[in-house]
Amino acid sequence: MITSLLGLMGNILIITATAKTNKLQNRCGIMIATLAVADTIICFYLVQLRVLQLFDWYFIPNQYCFLVSLHGIFCLSVQSFMGLSLGIDRLMAVIAPIRYKLLPKWVHGALIVSALIYAMIITGIGAFDMGNTTVPVCMPPTAFNVFSRFIWIGASFILGLFTLVVYAVAQYKCARMGRHEN
């Protein structure tokens, strides 16, 4: 719970800094602030789950767990996709810095909207797959039923792989640029 509260404070600082500092109100800064908003909601969600556990909220129907976790599940999905979106943004900035500066703002808006659409789809699949099975402890994986859990974990795994590849390519490009400058 302490980690979630620290994360909550840190993300609120990021959101506040972005809102008050003009230099941070650029494409990348807005994407980071969007990620910070999702992270803030996730931190609230994790604190909420811990408080419910303190009040012995165990062995509940899956549908109650899902409904209590709806905002957390949605934001966890936004978080996954925004990690990839930020990686794509950084890769574009490294590969073609001049073209990156000329990119229309809608490109970054499309990345953010894509994250929201992805989260709606994953959350919607979970909503349609709710059931009355009893879950011992309400957490994000147990909020999903069998089919939707498989989809959520699989999609998160694939997004994670893509994110690693994008960041690895960006790191490789940065390292090559550094060698060329010396």
Side-chain angles (χ1 to χ4, degrees):
M1 182 160 1
I2 293 171
T3 306
S4 295
L5 293 172
L6 290 173
L8 187 65
M9 290 187 307
N11 284 306
I12 288 172
L13 287 173
I14 291 170
I15 296 164
T16 304
T18 304
K20 290 189 173 203
T21 309
N22 287 337
K23 284 189 175 187
L24 294 177
Q25 294 173 5
N26 56 34
R27 297 170 208 182
C28 185
I30 298 300
M31 291 178 74
I32 291 171
T34 303
L35 179 58
V37 169
D39 286 347
T40 300
I41 295 169
I42 291 167
C43 289
F44 273 122
Y45 165 63
L46 294 174
V47 169
Q48 168 196 342
L49 287 181
R50 297 305 166 255
V51 169
L52 289 172
Q53 289 171 359
L54 288 173
F55 289 102
D56 289 330
W57 208 59
Y58 297 105
F59 297 101
I60 58 167
N62 167 260
Q63 62 189 17
Y64 292 149
C65 180
F66 184 83
L67 293 173
V68 165
S69 301
L70 192 63
H71 59 292
I73 289 169
F74 180 83
C75 288
L76 282 166
S77 299
V78 169
Q79 181 188 50
S80 295
F81 204 95
M82 284 306 298
L84 177 60
S85 296
L86 278 163
I88 292 169
D89 173 71
R90 297 296 77 207
L91 182 61
M92 289 188 304
V94 169
I95 289 177
I98 294 171
R99 274 192 263 157
Y100 173 78
K101 289 180 181 182
L102 300 175
L103 276 176
K105 289 182 181 178
W106 68 263
V107 172
H108 289 80
L111 288 171
I112 293 170
V113 169
S114 296
L116 296 173
I117 291 170
Y118 167 77
M120 283 190 272
I121 291 169
I122 294 296
T123 307
I125 290 170
F128 284 114
D129 195 37
M130 280 191 297
N132 283 327
T133 58
T134 300
V135 296
V137 179
C138 185
M139 300 182 315
T142 59
F144 286 106
N145 238 344
V146 177
F147 173 72
S148 54
R149 184 179 311 130
F150 175 77
I151 298 293
W152 180 62
I153 290 171
S156 296
F157 180 76
I158 291 168
L159 273 176
L161 286 178
F162 281 148
T163 303
L164 285 172
V165 168
V166 167
Y167 277 104
V169 171
Q171 178 63 31
Y172 174 75
K173 294 289 186 181
C174 285
R176 285 196 65 211
M177 286 175 17
R179 275 188 244 135
H180 289 271
E181 289 179 2
N182 292 332

